[in-house]
Amino acid sequence: MSKTKPHPSARDALSRRRLLRAGMSVAAALPFGFAATTGRAWGPGPGTPFDPGPLCAPAAAEAATGPLRPIKLAWNATAICTAAAPVAKERGIFAQHGLDVEFVNFGGSTEALLEAIATGKADAGIGMALRWLKPLEQGFDVKITAGLHGGCLRLLGAKSAGITDIASLKGKTIAISDHASPAKNFFGLLLADAGIDPEREVEWRQYPADLLNLAVEKGEVQALADADPRTWIWLKDPRLTEVATNLTGIYATRSCCVVAVRGSLVRNDRAVAGALTRAVLEGGHCVQTDPADAAAIFANYGGKGSVEDLAAMLRSQTHQHRPVGADLKQEIALYGDELKRVNVLRRTTDTAKFAERVFADVLS
């Protein structure tokens, strides 16, 4: 982290945050029932504007005292875009918010993950909006509370097949890991934007995720669509070229990964839901300001790729973009409108009402 002396206004902001954390530390030491009813142990309370950062100090600095609230957070330990979570844990940010977070590494279906959150087997999760919105349309009691960053999906084409842009994919075959993948959903949108029917004028062919590049190499497909870290590593192959990412065009300022909390926690313990959301967002701030440190932490959790590659992936993503409140709700509605166009969401879904139903403001 930089040693530059902060501007006076920055010092004032830091002082306010230190005062807030000191108050949280005292409140965290109160008996659990009292803290839960007052909300003092886990945040500044309703009406206080969200202050996103930074709490990137080592774990020993200003950690909360007293008992911490146990929380289970579902995530995918192989997905570099979830690096904010282990950073928040290892840099003591969860503890500073009065939380003892246990990670649940979830590699199953999205429906099973959301069901686990909705039924209390996990308290919250981090995942891709474009994978979660369809199951949420079906009624899972899970609320999106924040966007985490943009970027991490890539569409790679075979140079030998002349795949250089979206238009060149018409009539071609694209390898994907599954037919509900966020990569298929997103790049289906780009195809539709280019006037190509994503269901009739291209073929999506499913392969095991780690073998997508081999399908291109064998000539069985002409392109692949997936997420980092795999796509970043495959891009080193000189036979492949990057055609597009989920930061292409109008999506450059859109978040892709989101934080979601079980609905019953939002309703019954909003302060805890807010504290967890704040902590993950502050972890995202640390990822933005020190991607090398974040990469080293993520690598210790089993992330694929060298620390240098992982840090480069994080720099390519927009970890400064962490929408909350009305901005997040608008992004959800926009994705809803777009997913209707490619027949992922029902054409009859009112996306404004849908966004209102699946979103929760726990930070103001």
Side-chain angles (χ1 to χ4, degrees):
M1 308 299 292
S2 174
K3 301 298 183 182
T4 303
K5 186 176 181 180
H7 186 275
S9 62
R11 288 200 299 271
D12 291 342
L14 287 171
S15 296
R16 288 193 296 271
R17 284 194 284 274
R18 290 190 183 107
L19 180 60
L20 170 61
R21 292 201 296 274
M24 289 164 54
S25 297
V26 172
L30 294 172
F32 178 77
F34 180 79
T37 56
T38 63
R40 289 179 61 198
W42 295 292
T48 303
F50 173 58
D51 180 357
L55 290 177
C56 302
E62 299 187 78
T65 59
L68 302 180
R69 169 67 181 266
I71 288 288
K72 290 185 177 181
L73 179 65
W75 75 315
N76 184 342
T78 66
I80 182 64
C81 52
T82 62
V87 168
K89 188 175 183 71
E90 297 301 323
R91 290 293 168 256
I93 297 172
F94 286 134
Q96 288 168 342
H97 281 282
L99 304 174
D100 178 14
V101 173
E102 174 188 349
F103 290 151
V104 180
N105 186 15
F106 211 99
S109 70
T110 301
E111 288 80 0
L113 185 152
L114 291 173
E115 183 178 4
I117 298 174
T119 58
K121 296 175 184 176
D123 297 296
I126 299 174
M128 299 284 293
L130 286 173
R131 184 182 283 277
W132 284 18
L133 291 182
K134 178 60 179 178
L136 288 178
E137 183 191 38
Q138 298 167 346
F140 286 100
D141 187 20
V142 176
K143 305 297 182 184
I144 298 173
T145 59
L148 198 49
H149 68 82
C152 71
L153 296 178
R154 301 179 194 277
L155 176 64
L156 309 183
K159 292 179 180 178
S160 61
I163 307 300
T164 57
D165 56 18
I166 292 293
S168 61
L169 286 166
K170 187 174 182 178
K172 301 299 193 296
T173 303
I174 305 170
I176 51 173
S177 60
D178 70 88
H179 285 278
S181 73
K184 180 188 176 186
N185 289 342
F186 178 77
F187 293 113
L189 291 174
L190 290 192
L191 288 164
D193 289 343
I196 300 171
D197 188 318
E199 296 301 326
R200 298 177 182 176
E201 295 183 303
V202 299
E203 179 184 352
W204 304 92
R205 191 174 298 173
Q206 184 172 336
Y207 291 88
D210 290 331
L211 302 181
L212 299 182
N213 62 324
L214 295 181
V216 178
E217 184 179 323
K218 293 179 178 179
E220 297 176 8
V221 301
Q222 292 76 51
L224 65 88
D226 203 62
D228 293 341
R230 282 186 291 262
T231 49
W232 179 276
I233 294 170
W234 290 336
L235 193 52
K236 293 183 176 183
D237 187 333
R239 295 170 291 186
L240 295 173
T241 186
E242 185 176 274
V243 177
T245 76
N246 57 338
L247 294 176
T248 294
I250 63 172
Y251 302 96
T253 55
R254 193 85 64 88
S255 57
C256 59
C257 285
V258 295
V259 183
V261 180
R262 60 180 167 88
S264 58
L265 184 64
V266 172
R267 291 187 295 274
N268 301 331
D269 224 337
R270 183 179 180 276
V272 174
L276 177 62
T277 302
R278 288 172 186 270
V280 175
L281 290 174
E282 288 162 3
H285 177 88
C286 296
V287 174
Q288 174 200 352
T289 56
D290 196 346
D293 180 64
I297 290 173
F298 180 75
N300 287 334
Y301 279 79
K304 293 183 178 179
S306 67
V307 171
E308 291 75 16
D309 275 340
L310 293 170
M313 294 175 212
L314 293 173
R315 291 187 188 98
S316 76
Q317 299 163 7
T318 55
H319 287 271
Q320 75 279 5
H321 182 62
R322 301 183 295 275
V324 297
D327 291 338
L328 173 62
K329 187 160 54 175
Q330 182 182 31
E331 289 196 9
I332 294 171
L334 286 172
Y335 272 138
D337 289 337
E338 291 152 357
L339 290 175
K340 284 170 64 175
R341 286 197 292 114
V342 293
N343 298 314
V344 174
L345 294 190
R346 295 188 295 265
R347 292 294 180 106
T348 56
T349 294
D350 183 321
T351 52
K353 291 181 179 178
F354 169 70
E356 186 70 39
R357 177 172 65 80
V358 303
F359 158 83
D361 182 1
V362 297
L363 299 173
S364 63

